[in-house]
Amino acid sequence: MMFFYLRFIVPPFSSVYPVRKPRCGTPSRGANQSKHGGGGMDEQKQISDDATTRREKLISRRDAISRRIAAIDAKAGKKNRNEETRRNILAGACIRNKAAKDQAIAQLLDKELRAYLTRRDDRALFNLPPVARS
């Protein structure tokens, strides 16, 4: 009598665990194939080719990302160099402006430039004589 009672409470097995149908695009297994392989050499070659293709795609994506990172780094480096150049120009302009107004600063600047500048064309910009070779 108990069996009869349980039949109405517990649903049949197939409704609790429905049978799964294969997804669209997934190959169905034939009679000679098991869940874990068992396919012929063609299937193994196909899997190998798919892995190679996926690997090549990932490598190309990695290379593209590396190029993008390099471009971003180059842009940041260029910006830093431009900012440093601008700082040097502004600092020089400030000091030259002060030197034009104060004779002591002008003499100090002349002394420092004579000691710092060694190239002939750099010294010529400030009307300094070439460095004597020893």
Side-chain angles (χ1 to χ4, degrees):
M1 186 69 169
M2 184 147 180
F3 176 72
F4 180 76
Y5 179 73
L6 286 176
R7 243 177 83 187
F8 293 106
I9 296 175
V10 178
F13 184 76
S14 62
S15 66
V16 175
Y17 301 102
V19 177
R20 293 181 127 186
K21 296 178 183 176
R23 295 182 193 163
C24 294
T26 56
S28 59
R29 289 186 282 274
N32 62 348
Q33 293 177 332
S34 68
K35 182 177 181 180
H36 300 288
M41 291 297 286
D42 293 336
E43 184 178 331
Q44 290 175 355
K45 186 175 186 313
Q46 178 67 31
I47 291 171
S48 159
D49 290 345
D50 289 346
T52 303
T53 304
R54 282 195 320 253
R55 183 177 188 278
E56 290 170 355
K57 286 180 183 177
L58 289 173
I59 288 172
S60 68
R61 284 177 53 198
R62 180 190 65 193
D63 293 343
I65 290 170
S66 295
R67 286 191 300 271
R68 288 173 55 192
I69 290 171
I72 290 170
D73 291 344
K75 187 175 181 180
K78 182 178 180 183
K79 182 180 179 202
N80 289 339
R81 286 189 303 276
N82 288 345
E83 288 174 351
E84 182 65 23
T85 301
R86 182 161 171 77
R87 278 192 289 273
N88 289 337
I89 290 169
L90 293 173
C94 177
I95 291 172
R96 287 188 62 175
N97 189 24
K98 294 287 185 181
K101 295 177 183 177
D102 189 353
Q103 187 62 31
I105 294 176
Q107 288 174 350
L108 179 64
L109 179 60
D110 185 55
K111 179 183 167 191
E112 291 297 322
L113 287 174
R114 286 176 187 273
Y116 183 74
L117 299 175
T118 57
R119 290 178 38 195
R120 180 180 294 255
D121 56 340
D122 291 343
R123 292 179 70 85
L125 285 173
F126 293 95
N127 298 322
L128 299 174
V131 176
R133 302 283 175 165
S134 45

